[in-house]
Amino acid sequence: MDVALQFCRHRLLPRVGASATSCRWLSSCVHPRRAPYTPVPPPTPLPLVSRLFQPSNLREGQESTELTCRSQRLMLQTGFLHPSNPGCFYYLPATVRSMEKLVRLIDQEMQAIGGQKLDMPALCAADLWRRSGRWDLMGKEMFRLRDRHGIDYCLGPTHEEAVTELLASQANLSYRQLPLLLYQVTRKFRDEQKPKFGLLRGREFYMKDMYSFDVSEEAAHHTYQSVCQAYGRLFDRLGLRWVQVRADTGNIGGTLSHEFQLPADVGEDRLLTCGSCSFSANVELVEPGRADCPQCQSGTLVESKGIEVGHTFYLGTKYSQVFQATFNTAQNKPALAEMGCFGLGVTRILAAAIEVLSSDDGIRWPGLLAPYQVCVLPPKKGSKTMELVGLAEELALRLASLSGLRGEVVLDDRTQMTIGKRLKDASQLGYPYVVVVGQGAAVEQQQQQQQQPKFEVICQQSGETLFLSRDALTDLLSQVETV
């Protein structure tokens, strides 16, 4: 309750017989009307490269024979990953920043088509898997354990059983509530016999898995296409070249399946595409040795390799029948829900993007996923332009105050190193924009030759080097898209 109004009621009313109206008037006098309070977020501290926990080995020059692909070598060398057990890694802070950005993008696309986010237990009861028949079907790839009471569990590699059992527990689900699209982004576990390629094939990884429930087969196919289109939009936003191919349903089951692949020589999947029509498929679905297209009959199939980053399945009633996941129809009769499931390899997308976009000398991120967008390099300590260190700090703070760049600008304060060495590090780490505060900036500092370029700006995505004034630099970076 307002303090003045409390005082009015408890002090003034008994003594002078004041009315409630006069009390409200007194309260308004003590606390005049003011605009609604809008909280202002506190300024984000400017990250300093010397303080970032990123134990890189950029100049050691030692390479292990176990580093079998570009993304694995670069992510270990630059301090984005640190090895733990076979097939498991520490995700260091810069990697977590990138992964969180990717998850935000995934959330946007999934929620745009009606997805609702939840979180299911990683520890799954064996009973659910036995009921579906997959406890034995999954074989040695599934991590299994037994608790102190002798009850069997597994670390969930996927959650079809769990989510269907969840839906089956809802006794009064109406057709009006469908389609229902439930998804999560969680750690998954798979006992790979030979984990390799870093995050491309590990034993513990992050995955987005969505499960759909529809009133009919036709509606389920509509949902299926909607999710496939959302996947395409996601990869387009990341600037990645992708292909959607027909695929085997495997041990998940169902009658329709597609993989989303990033073409790459290191990919483990063999893909066949036709140059004359839209046919594309995993080689598993095509008769061995066949060279002509099974769809148009006239085109020639061309083989390539790809990294699978997404997979979609139309399940029908395979799981809803087992767990009796039903809904009430318009006639108030129970009917089995038609299901689909849709996966995205979150950590695999990170590694695959680095694999296809980077060179052997340095990481190149999809612009939206770079851990930081801008790195500002002050002059070397003891150099002729060392007095510009303050200008570099001021510039970094100014850029960091731009609405799209809050928390996205780092200052490489390791001024004991030359600009050349720090530029090499910045190139290897993949900052999209590197701003050098060097000799050119001294012109502005001295307030002379105002038309001359001031800051060297290296755009690592395009390979361009620009020389811009402070205002032009601000205009350029204010257009950077972040998530």
Side-chain angles (χ1 to χ4, degrees):
M1 183 184 294
D2 187 276
V3 174
L5 192 56
Q6 286 183 336
F7 176 82
C8 178
R9 288 182 176 174
H10 296 293
R11 297 291 183 181
L12 297 183
L13 281 175
R15 297 175 65 180
V16 299
S19 66
T21 301
S22 62
C23 289
R24 285 194 293 270
W25 174 85
L26 177 60
S27 177
S28 67
C29 292
V30 176
H31 295 291
R33 291 180 180 272
R34 46 184 178 262
Y37 172 69
T38 302
V40 178
T44 303
L46 187 65
L48 304 176
V49 170
S50 66
R51 301 294 302 275
L52 298 179
F53 183 64
Q54 192 166 354
S56 58
N57 302 308
L58 295 176
R59 278 170 292 280
E60 289 186 0
Q62 299 177 355
E63 293 189 12
S64 168
T65 56
E66 298 179 359
L67 303 182
T68 51
C69 70
R70 177 187 297 152
S71 60
Q72 181 183 15
R73 177 178 62 81
L74 288 173
M75 294 190 81
L76 289 171
Q77 187 181 53
T78 54
F80 286 98
L81 294 177
H82 185 78
S84 177
N85 310 312
C88 300
F89 296 89
Y90 296 94
Y91 301 156
L92 299 182
T95 301
V96 172
R97 282 181 62 90
S98 290
M99 190 165 64
E100 288 174 343
K101 292 179 179 184
L102 177 54
V103 171
R104 286 198 289 272
L105 280 174
I106 292 172
D107 285 340
Q108 289 175 8
E109 294 298 339
M110 295 302 98
Q111 292 171 20
I113 59 172
Q116 301 179 60
K117 197 171 187 179
L118 79 170
D119 198 350
M120 292 181 277
L123 196 61
C124 302
D127 175 63
L128 295 178
W129 289 75
R130 290 191 176 108
R131 287 168 63 186
S132 70
R134 291 207 299 168
W135 180 257
D136 297 321
L137 182 64
M138 292 296 291
K140 294 182 179 180
E141 287 192 352
M142 188 159 66
F143 281 103
R144 305 161 197 262
L145 62 155
R146 180 171 293 171
D147 71 6
R148 67 181 66 192
H149 305 294
I151 299 175
D152 291 325
Y153 293 88
C154 69
L155 296 178
T158 183
H159 278 72
E160 285 79 14
E161 286 82 359
V163 74
T164 313
E165 195 272 339
L166 171 66
L167 194 82
S169 68
Q170 311 305 306
N172 297 315
L173 188 69
S174 168
Y175 72 96
R176 294 187 180 91
Q177 296 172 262
L178 305 184
L180 183 63
L181 286 74
L182 302 175
Y183 78 98
Q184 61 178 354
V185 179
T186 59
R187 288 180 185 259
K188 301 290 191 206
F189 304 89
R190 191 169 296 153
D191 193 0
E192 293 281 356
Q193 184 177 6
K194 293 182 179 180
K196 57 182 178 179
F197 299 145
L199 297 185
L200 293 181
R201 183 164 294 281
R203 307 173 83 191
E204 182 180 7
F205 50 92
Y206 279 89
M207 178 176 162
K208 186 283 304 179
D209 45 323
M210 173 181 273
Y211 307 90
S212 64
F213 301 87
D214 276 279
V215 298
S216 66
E217 182 177 347
E218 180 184 3
H221 279 284
H222 182 271
T223 296
Y224 186 95
Q225 293 302 323
S226 177
V227 178
C228 288
Q229 291 167 9
Y231 280 16
R233 287 193 299 271
L234 173 69
F235 296 127
D236 287 343
R237 292 179 69 182
L238 294 176
L240 298 173
R241 188 167 67 91
W242 57 277
V243 59
Q244 180 180 347
V245 302
R246 299 179 188 178
D248 185 18
T249 58
N251 56 30
I252 289 183
T255 58
L256 176 65
S257 176
H258 286 88
E259 293 168 347
F260 288 77
Q261 299 269 354
L262 302 189
D265 291 338
V266 75
E268 296 185 89
D269 288 300
R270 295 166 56 205
L271 315 175
L272 295 173
T273 56
C274 176
S276 301
C277 70
S278 61
F279 178 82
S280 57
N282 193 300
V283 72
E284 300 170 336
L285 292 189
V286 179
E287 181 183 349
R290 180 165 186 168
D292 63 312
C293 176
Q295 180 170 291
C296 70
Q297 310 297 325
S298 60
T300 301
L301 296 178
V302 178
E303 183 174 326
S304 61
K305 292 183 177 181
I307 302 171
E308 180 192 334
V309 289
H311 208 148
T312 58
F313 300 85
Y314 166 61
L315 302 174
T317 59
K318 173 180 170 64
Y319 294 92
S320 56
Q321 175 71 54
V322 171
F323 294 97
Q324 285 298 292
T326 63
F327 65 95
N328 293 325
T329 67
Q331 292 74 37
N332 203 29
K333 294 182 179 180
L336 293 173
E338 293 277 342
M339 290 181 59
C341 68
F342 312 89
L344 281 175
V346 176
T347 41
R348 185 177 282 190
I349 290 173
L350 282 184
I354 290 174
E355 190 71 37
V356 301
L357 297 178
S358 303
S359 69
D360 289 336
D361 297 326
I363 289 177
R364 292 296 175 267
W365 296 94
L368 289 172
L369 300 189
Y372 296 95
Q373 292 290 331
V374 182
C375 180
V376 177
L377 305 185
K380 182 181 185 298
K381 184 178 181 181
S383 68
K384 295 180 181 179
T385 55
M386 65 175 295
E387 72 276 4
L388 300 180
V389 169
L391 176 62
E393 294 174 355
E394 177 190 339
L395 176 67
L397 288 169
R398 176 176 178 171
L399 296 177
S401 69
L402 297 174
S403 60
L405 291 181
R406 291 195 179 102
E408 295 288 341
V409 180
V410 296
L411 180 71
D412 192 341
D413 60 327
R414 300 172 300 164
T415 53
Q416 75 279 6
M417 297 168 55
T418 65
I419 283 183
K421 287 184 178 179
R422 284 178 284 157
L423 271 174
K424 185 177 180 181
D425 287 358
S427 177
Q428 290 180 293
L429 293 166
Y431 301 108
Y433 298 92
V434 180
V435 181
V436 180
V437 181
Q439 184 63 43
V443 175
E444 178 174 319
Q445 187 80 346
Q446 298 166 5
Q447 297 183 351
Q448 296 174 358
Q449 302 177 20
Q450 293 299 314
Q451 300 305 313
Q452 294 298 315
K454 306 302 188 298
F455 301 103
E456 181 181 357
V457 185
I458 300 159
C459 307
Q460 303 216 78
Q461 247 74 347
S462 65
E464 292 181 284
T465 298
L466 308 173
F467 295 90
L468 301 175
S469 67
R470 187 196 307 246
D471 290 341
L473 173 60
T474 301
D475 290 342
L476 172 69
L477 296 182
S478 65
Q479 305 302 315
V480 173
E481 183 183 1
T482 56
V483 62

